[in-house]
Amino acid sequence: MSDNRELSTVLPVAPTRGRLRPLGLDEVRITGGFWDRRRETNATATLDHCRDWMERVGWTGNFRAVADGRIRQDRRGREFADSETYKLLEAMAWQTGTSTGSGAAFDADIAALTEAVAAAQEPDGYLNTAFGHPGQQPRYSDLEWGHELYCYGHLIQAGVAQARTQGEGELTKVARRAADHICATFGRGGIERVCGHAEIETALVELARLTGEERYLDQAALFIDRRGRGTLAEGEFGRVYHQDDLPVRDATVLRGHAVRALYLASGAVDVAVETGDEELLAAVGRQWEAAVARRTYLTGGMGSHHRDEAFGDDFVLPPDRAYSETCAGVASVQLSWRLLLATGDPRYADLAERTLFNVVATSPAEDGRSFFYANTLHRRHRGPAPAADAVSPRAESSLRAPWFAVSCCPTNVARTLAQLPAHLATADDQGIQLHQYADAEIATSLTGGHTVALRVRTDYPSGGNVTVRIDRSPPGHPWTLSLRVPAWTEGATAYLVDPDGNCRTVDPGTAEVTRAFRPGEEIRLELPVAPRWIEPDPRIDAVRGTVAVQRGPLVYCAESVDLPGGREVDVVRVDPSTEPEDGPAGTVVAPGELVAQDGPVDAVWPYRPLDRATVSVAEHTGIVLVPYNSWANRGPSTMRVWLPTTET
Amino acid sequence: MSDNRELSTVLPVAPTRGRLRPLGLDEVRITGGFWDRRRETNATATLDHCRDWMERVGWTGNFRAVADGRIRQDRRGREFADSETYKLLEAMAWQTGTSTGSGAAFDADIAALTEAVAAAQEPDGYLNTAFGHPGQQPRYSDLEWGHELYCYGHLIQAGVAQARTQGEGELTKVARRAADHICATFGRGGIERVCGHAEIETALVELARLTGEERYLDQAALFIDRRGRGTLAEGEFGRVYHQDDLPVRDATVLRGHAVRALYLASGAVDVAVETGDEELLAAVGRQWEAAVARRTYLTGGMGSHHRDEAFGDDFVLPPDRAYSETCAGVASVQLSWRLLLATGDPRYADLAERTLFNVVATSPAEDGRSFFYANTLHRRHRGPAPAADAVSPRAESSLRAPWFAVSCCPTNVARTLAQLPAHLATADDQGIQLHQYADAEIATSLTGGHTVALRVRTDYPSGGNVTVRIDRSPPGHPWTLSLRVPAWTEGATAYLVDPDGNCRTVDPGTAEVTRAFRPGEEIRLELPVAPRWIEPDPRIDAVRGTVAVQRGPLVYCAESVDLPGGREVDVVRVDPSTEPEDGPAGTVVAPGELVAQDGPVDAVWPYRPLDRATVSVAEHTGIVLVPYNSWANRGPSTMRVWLPTTET
C-alpha cells in the first residue's frame, strides 16, 4: 500500500500516496508569531488544564474504577468521556514530538494516564468504561449513541501519536489490542454495523499506515462502505444525523451532525487514498465543495443548528444562532488537510487557514484555560460569566467556560495546536509548497536526497509580507518553491518578489519560483491585508443588508466594550461607501453611526406598515472592530460580525 | 370566590371575576364564513381522524392495557400520550356543546373513551399509563419529564368540558377523583414540587370554578408559587426550559419552552383572577407585553428555537428556522383570552386574532386530516410529502403530516376550534363587546336581566365590512355595543356607521355605540383590508431588507406553485415603492421581479469583496401571494413570508 516515498516518522497524517508529501514535526518548526504564542499557551496552560479538569470531574478516574471493579457506581461523565483522556494523550504526544522546549514535560503524564487506561482494558482488547461491566449495558448494545468505536478511534490516534513521537510504547500496544479486538468483532461475519459517531475510520487507516497491517485499512473500508445503509436505528433527528441516510460515495453534500460528517469524510479520504479509490475521493471532494459554497460561515465555521449540532439546509446560516462548533472547525481542518495532501488543490489550504484563524483560534481564551464550544457570529446579550469552577452547558454560555458537561472541544483544540507545524508545508518531486504562513524553519530532503532548508519570516496575519530565506539548497540543482496566494486576496493585488528582485503580481492560487536556489537568497510574497468590506451571497437571508470586515485571513467583529457609552452592538450601522481603515493595536475602524434606541425600544409590536421612516442617528463615528478570534476576552459583551449598513 | 355575576354554564373559561364576562356556547353561535368552515371540518373530519389515529398507534389502547394488567409490555407512545385522549375528549365535549348540527355524534365516542380511561384509574385516583404499574417507573419519579400532572391537567379540562356541555358524568367524576388525589399528594407537606410541563394549574382553577371547591384553587396557587424555586432538576436546556428559573411574579418576559411558558402564564392569570392577586396578574401582563414586542413572529407564532422548542432571545426570529409550534399558538390564544377577560384590553384580542388566523388556522390542511407541528415562515426545499399512513417527525416535514410521534398539535387545534364561538364576544355592565368578527348570532342577558340579541354579518377576513343587526333590545334602555378596531388598521382608516347612518373614523382600539337600540337597527364597521406592505423592526436581524404583505388580519406569502416556470421562492424580489393589489380568488399581487439564478449558484465561496454588482433580473412580474394559512395545500412547495426588496 505504498508508493515508496520517504516520509517523516513524526507525522500526524501519513498517507502512503497522494499529490503532496506531508512534512513531519521533525521537519517543520514554528519559531514565532501568532501560532507560536497559541502553541506556547497550549503547552504551558491548556494541556495541564485539561488533565486537571478530567481528574476533577472523574473522567480519568473511570479507568481506575474499572480496574478496581467499582465502575457501576462510580462512573462519571457522558458515555464518550473516555475519549477526552485519549485526545489529551494524543495532544501531549504531539506536543512532545515538536521541537519547542515545553514538550518533554508530558512524558510522565503520558505514562501515568496510559497506566490507568491500560489497567481498564479487558483481556480480549475491549476497552470502554461505560459499557460491558457488571451492572452496565452490554458491549455494543447502543451503537447509535454509545460511542464505543468513536472512543477507540481516539485511543488509536493517541497510540499512533505516541509511536510517532516517543516510539511504540504501552499506549500504542493498548491501541493495537483494541484495534485487533475491533477487527475480530466488527469484521465480515461479525457485527456488521457502524458507530453512531464516525472517527474509528480515520484512526484505523492511520494505524495501518503506522504498522503496515492491511487488516486495519480493510476494517476502515468496511466501516465506510457500511455507512448509509440503515444499520443504525433511526432516531429523533433522522438517519441523516449519523450520515446513515446515504452511502458516502452517493452523497452530494456534507449533512447531518457536523462533527460526525467531517470525521466520516476524513476517514473516507484516508480509505480512498490508501485503496486508490478515485470515485470515493471525488465524492468527498464534491461534498466539501457543496458544503463550502452553501453551508459554511464566513469564519469557516460549520453547522448552523443548535438542535442537532448539524449542518442546515443550503444558505441557512443564521449568525445569531450559529452553532459553528469548535470541534467541527477542528474536523474541517482535518478534512481539508487530507484533501490537500491527496490533490494539491490550494482551496483546501484556504479553508483550513480561515478555519484555523477564525474558529480554532477563537475557542480558547487568551490564557488557554477556557473555551467556546459554539462560536456564534452574533451575541445579543452580555449575560453572566460562566462559573470558573463548575461544568457549563455546552453552547449557552456568553463567555468561554473552563469545562463542559460535554467537553470535546478543549482537547480537540489542544491536539490541533500541538500538531499544527505539520500543516505549514509539504513537498513533492518538484520542491516545497508553503500552505500556511508563520515564522518557521523547514528542512527536508527532496527527491534524489537533496537537502533543502529554509526559514520563513513574517508578521502574518497582522502584516502581509512573507519572506522565505533559503538556508540550504543543492548547488546547481533547480527546484520549485510554491507559495499559496490566499483566495482572500481576490479583488486586491498580491506580489511576488523573486531572489533577483523582480516583482510580479500573483493571482489567488499558487505562485511558484523555480531555480537553482543559493543559500541566502530570499523570495518575498506581499499579500494585501488592508481591511475590506465583505458582502454575503444574497441567498443567505439571515445577513441580508449587512457587510462584514475581513483583514487578511482574519474576520473582524464589533464588540460592545469598544462602543462609547456602554452601548450594545445592535445600535451599530456601517457605511460601506467608504473603506474601513487600520486602527491602533490590530483594530480596524469602520465608518459608521450609532442609531438612537429611543423609538422602537418601547414598541408594542415589532412590525408596522412600511413608512420608510429614517432611523434616528445618535452619533456618526468610527466603529472600532477587533479580530473575531479575540472577542470576549474583556468581560461580558455583545458582539456581531455582520454589520447592518446605513443603506438599509 | 365570586363577584355574584351570572355566567353561562357552557363556558370553556369561567372566571368569577374580571373586567369582562365571557359568553357561553349557548349564547354565541357562529353561523357562517371562515371559522364556520373550519369548525365544520373539525367536527366532520378532524375529531374522527384523531380518534382513529390514537386507536391505530395504540395510545387509547394504553388505558385498556392498564386495566388488563399488561401495560408494561404493551404501552405505546411517549410519556404524555394519555393527554391526547383527554384533549380529544375535551374537543368532542365542546363540539357537542355548540349549537351546530354535528355535535351530538360524539356522545358515544365520549362514553367509550371515558370507559377506557376510567378503567385505568387506581382506587386512590392515580391515573397514568406510563408510571406506577408493575415494571414501570414509580409514580412521580420523573417530575421533570414524566408529564403526570400535565396529563391530569388535560383530563380535568376534559372533565370540566363534559360537565359544562353534557352535565356532570363519568368523565367529570374521573377528573375529580384525580384532582382529589393531586391535592392529597402535592398539597402542603406532600410532594412540594411542580410538574416539568405546566397545565395542571389552569385546569385545577377551572375545576374550582366548576365545583366551587376552594382546595383546587389553593392547589393551583401552590403550584404557581412553587414554580421558579428550583424544585426540578436542571437539565441540558437549563432551568429556564421549565420556567423553574424565576418565580412567576418575578419574571419579566415569557421564556423557555414556549408551550410550557404560555400554559403556565394562563394558569397564573387564572389564579390571580380568582385570588384577587393584582401583582401576579400585572406580572403576567408585563411578560405578555415583552414577549409580543420582541419575541413574536408576524403570524403571532411564538418560539424560535428548534432545539428546545423555546422562545429565543429578544428579536431572534429567524423565518427559516421558525418553530412557531401550533400548540404555542393555541396556548397563546388561551393566555390572551384570559388576559382579555381580566382586563378588557383589546390588544389581547388583537394578538388572538392574528394567532388564530395565521397559526391555528395554518396547522390543519384543508381536509382537516393533516397538520403542521411547526409553522415556519420560510420553506427552502420542496421536500417529499410525509407518508400518509405513518407517524412523522414533529418539525421536519415539508407538508402537513397526518400524525406525529409527538402529536400534541392536532387535538389542540381540535379543542380550540370546538370552543371558538366563546372567543367572539363578552358582556359587561355597560353592554356587549365584539372581539372577533364572523357571521354569528349572539344573545345574552345584560345586567338587570335585559335580554339582547344581535346578529353579525361579514365576509371577514376577505372583506372588511362587519354589520351588526340588533334583533332584540330592552325598549328605552340604553346600552353600549363595543367593537374592536383591530390594531392592524393602524395607518389606514376604519369607519363606524351608526344606526342613524352617521359615519365616523375610528382608531385602533375600541369603537362604541351607546343608545337605546331598537330591533332592526344596524351598526356597520368598515375595516380597511386592502393589502399593505409591512416592515419589521430593524432589530429583527433575520429579516432585514425584506417586507411582508398583510391583508386585514391575514399574513400573506409567496409560494413556489404560483411562480412561473417551476421557480423557487428564493428568486423573488418585490418593489415596495408600489402598493400590492388584490388579485383573483383571495390572492394578492405584489409588484416585483424574478432574479436570474445563473451567477451565484456556482460560487465556490458565498462571501466576496463588496462590489455592488446588480442582480441579474430575469423577469419583471407581479408576484402572486396567497394567505399564509392556505399554503402547502397544493403539493410540495417552497414558501416565504418575508420578501427581499429590490432595494437591497
Side-chain angles (χ1 to χ4, degrees), chain B residues 6 34 53 76 128 160 176 191 197 212 219 221 279 334 338 374 382 402 492 535 542 566 593 609 643:
Chain B
E6 287 287 320
F34 183 95
W53 265 96
R76 296 288 178 271
N128 191 289
V160 169
R176 291 188 67 154
I191 303 173
H197 198 315
Q219 185 64 47
E279 180 195 78
Q334 162 182 309
R338 283 159 174 76
R382 294 183 183 226
E535 66 179 5
E593 63 194 24
L643 306 168

Side-chain angles (χ1 to χ4, degrees), chain B residues 391-468:
Chain B
V391 170
S392 294
R394 57 182 119 166
E396 301 303 328
S397 52
S398 63
L399 292 179
R400 296 170 180 87
W403 204 249
F404 304 96
V406 174
S407 212
C408 41
C409 299
T411 54
N412 237 348
V413 168
R415 70 185 184 125
T416 303
L417 291 174
Q419 63 184 254
L420 196 69
H423 286 253
L424 263 58
T426 57
D428 66 4
D429 288 345
Q430 279 68 53
I432 292 187
Q433 303 81 40
L434 298 187
H435 304 290
Q436 307 298 342
Y437 297 116
D439 284 351
E441 294 178 7
I442 299 168
T444 190
S445 292
L446 296 184
T447 311
H450 300 295
T451 301
V452 298
L454 45 89
R455 68 182 67 188
V456 183
R457 290 290 174 271
T458 180
D459 55 352
Y460 198 82
S462 305
N465 278 5
V466 179
T467 302
V468 183

Side-chain angles (χ1 to χ4, degrees), chain B residues 629-648:
Chain B
N629 67 33
S630 74
W631 90 276
N633 274 305
R634 294 172 291 172
S637 63
T638 58
M639 178 278 299
R640 63 186 304 167
V641 167
W642 291 103
L643 306 168
T645 67
T646 51
E647 298 162 352
T648 52

Side-chain angles (χ1 to χ4, degrees), chain B residues 10-13 21-32 35-36 38-40 42 91 94-100 333 337 356 413-426 433-443:
Chain B
V10 197
L11 275 173
V13 180
R21 173 171 68 82
L23 300 186
L25 299 175
D26 54 338
E27 297 174 304
V28 184
R29 197 159 69 86
I30 295 179
T31 57
W35 289 117
D36 192 53
R38 294 304 188 111
R39 281 173 40 76
E40 186 64 18
N42 190 49
W94 295 126
Q95 187 59 38
T96 303
T98 57
S99 343
T100 52
V333 170
W337 177 241
L356 284 166
V413 168
R415 70 185 184 125
T416 303
L417 291 174
Q419 63 184 254
L420 196 69
H423 286 253
L424 263 58
T426 57
Q433 303 81 40
L434 298 187
H435 304 290
Q436 307 298 342
Y437 297 116
D439 284 351
E441 294 178 7
I442 299 168

